């Protein structure tokens, strides 16, 4: 069984990828460029892939290919229709980030709500010594207790974030879908959440319906100047509108762990904001605690072993 991992470096240096419990030959590449895909998977029975694109042409040129184990939850980099036509099983990794993403989300919320980065930078610049007293108050500090947390996305991660918010004494509103008002009493209409949230956090997939679900019009409707947190997907927010919203005071801060282009080029609109005290950009690492990535890697091999035994595990196509 020939197994090829196209982008093994995405698992990080501290993760142990155990050998599958089946007769096999594993070749793992750190990175694979688009023009290298066809050659590298030509004789593969199983391909493991995180972000490398597997389009219909690449799949067609791999006659032995029987299984694609996606080292991620999202599978938009794989042509699922081409796989269905060939009978190729596609699996993904699920529910490994139930602690790490909510923790990262609240790390970003705390950092902005209490101006942690701004105060750190001020101390580094000598502001404390110049203050002439035991403390200084250059940047706002706000408690979370008693504030309103708006959560967009009610999956496992959104629910975990909501539970943490409640534990911190926050009033939690689960947002209904944009444009919908028929989802029942457990959901607050999207427009109401925009208007009343003190913190707005995104935990939904990127689909045609959620693309740019927050843009200039939505920022203008945010009456309480909330914090905006996106640890979900680049493209949920119109990134070009974030800077103007910060400048206009429509939001009091923003933190992103994702971008439409990763890594973002120097001219990307979020890169223009990285020196602001009210903005934080982290490099898509909300998922990547050492504990979570090891669970992730173990589940990835579990999927490969289940396929070989003829079982269904996390199959998406």
């Amino acid at each position: 069984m020939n197994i090829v991992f196209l982008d093994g470096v995405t698992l990080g240096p501290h993760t142990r990828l155990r050998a599958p419990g089946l007769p096999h030959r594993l070749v793992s590449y750190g990175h694979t460029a688009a023009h290298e895909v066809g050659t590298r998977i030509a004789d593969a029975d199983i391909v493991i892939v995180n972000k490398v694109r597997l389009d219909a042409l690449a799949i067609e040129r791999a006659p032995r290919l029987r299984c694609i184990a996606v080292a991620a939850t999202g599978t938009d980099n794989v042509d699922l229709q081409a796989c269905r036509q060939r009978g190729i099983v596609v699996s993904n990794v699920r529910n490994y980030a139930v602690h790490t993403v909510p923790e990262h989300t609240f790390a970003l919320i705390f950092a902005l709500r209490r101006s942690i980065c701004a105060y750190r930078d001020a101390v580094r610049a000598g502001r404390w010594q110049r203050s002439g007293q035991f403390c200084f108050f250059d940047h706002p500090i706000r408690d979370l207790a008693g504030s309103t947390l708006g959560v967009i996305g009610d999956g496992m991660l959104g629910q975990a974030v909501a539970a943490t918010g409640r534990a911190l004494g926050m009033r939690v509103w689960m947002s209904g879908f944009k444009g919908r008002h028929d989802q029942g009493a457990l959901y607050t209409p999207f427009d109401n959440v925009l208007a009343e949230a003190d913190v707005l956090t995104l935990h939904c997939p990127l689909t045609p319906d959620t693309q740019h679900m927050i843009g200039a019009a939505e920022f203008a409707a945010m009456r309480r100047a909330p914090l905006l947190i996106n640890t979900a997907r680049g493209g949920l927010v119109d990134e070009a509108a974030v800077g103007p919203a910060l400048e206009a005071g429509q939001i009091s801060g923003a933190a992103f762990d994702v971008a439409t282009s990763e890594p973002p080029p120097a001219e990307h609109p979020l890169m223009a904001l990285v020196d602001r005290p009210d903005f934080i950009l982290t490099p898509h690492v909300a998922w990547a605690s050492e504990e979570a990535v090891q669970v992730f890697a173990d589940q990835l091999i579990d999927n490969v072993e289940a396929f070989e035994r003829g079982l269904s595990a996390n199959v998406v196509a």
Side-chain angles (χ1 to χ4, degrees):
M1 186 73 67
N2 290 329
I3 305 174
V4 176
F5 194 167
L6 291 176
D7 46 359
V9 73
T10 58
L11 291 188
H14 304 295
T15 306
R16 183 184 65 85
L17 188 67
R18 78 172 191 273
L22 54 99
H24 71 280
R25 173 178 176 268
L26 172 64
V27 178
S28 182
Y29 299 98
H31 301 276
T32 297
H35 70 275
E36 298 172 318
V37 173
T39 300
R40 291 183 173 180
I41 72 171
D43 296 319
D45 300 288
I46 298 174
V47 170
I48 302 174
V49 61
N50 189 331
K51 300 302 181 188
V52 175
R53 175 76 178 158
L54 291 177
D55 59 20
L57 181 58
I59 292 166
E60 179 184 345
R61 292 177 175 176
R64 295 179 50 167
L65 185 58
R66 297 167 49 206
C67 173
I68 299 172
V70 180
T73 300
T75 58
D76 51 296
N77 57 316
V78 178
D79 190 321
L80 298 182
Q81 183 59 35
C83 291
R84 293 186 185 103
Q85 291 174 353
R86 278 269 308 275
I88 297 168
V89 172
V90 181
S91 63
N92 68 349
V93 181
R94 307 174 190 179
N95 302 334
Y96 61 92
V98 67
H99 300 299
T100 184
V101 169
E103 288 185 16
H104 193 91
T105 296
F106 272 95
L108 296 173
I109 292 170
F110 277 122
L112 289 172
R113 189 77 169 172
R114 305 192 69 85
S115 296
I116 298 295
C117 296
Y119 278 110
R120 178 207 58 196
D121 292 345
V123 169
R124 182 184 295 149
R127 175 69 178 93
W128 202 356
Q129 286 73 27
R130 294 194 301 273
S131 71
Q133 61 179 24
F134 76 100
C135 65
F136 59 96
F137 307 99
D138 290 5
H139 304 284
I141 299 173
R142 301 289 305 279
D143 290 337
L144 289 178
S147 65
T148 298
L149 174 66
V151 182
I152 301 179
D154 65 348
M156 181 172 289
L157 297 181
Q159 292 290 349
V161 167
T164 302
R166 294 186 188 100
L168 291 168
M170 302 181 78
R171 180 187 309 108
V172 177
W173 287 357
M174 302 300 296
S175 173
F177 296 142
K178 186 175 181 179
R180 292 271 301 276
H181 300 275
D182 58 348
Q183 292 179 261
L186 295 179
Y187 296 89
T188 302
F190 180 81
D191 293 342
N192 293 38
V193 174
L194 292 185
E196 300 299 332
D198 298 295
V199 179
L200 191 64
T201 180
L202 311 184
H203 301 283
C204 50
L206 179 64
T207 68
D209 289 334
T210 61
Q211 176 86 23
H212 285 189
M213 64 188 296
I214 294 179
E218 288 72 28
F219 284 126
M222 296 180 185
R223 295 200 300 251
R224 296 182 63 82
L227 301 179
L228 174 64
I229 313 295
N230 186 9
T231 58
R233 290 290 183 268
L236 294 175
V237 179
D238 179 358
E239 292 157 332
V242 177
L246 287 168
E247 287 290 337
Q250 294 170 329
I251 53 177
S252 56
F256 281 64
D257 185 58
V258 290
T260 49
S261 178
E262 295 176 347
E267 64 273 14
H268 191 281
L270 295 183
M271 293 301 296
L273 307 176
V274 294
D275 290 330
R276 293 183 62 104
D278 53 5
F279 180 78
I280 300 172
L281 180 62
T282 55
H284 204 142
V285 291
W287 68 282
S289 72
E290 291 184 20
E291 295 85 354
V293 179
Q294 189 59 60
V295 170
F296 171 101
D298 291 342
Q299 188 182 141
L300 180 65
I301 299 303
D302 289 343
N303 290 346
V304 170
E305 293 172 339
F307 164 76
E308 178 59 17
R309 294 195 303 269
L311 303 176
S312 175
N314 295 344
V315 171
V316 296

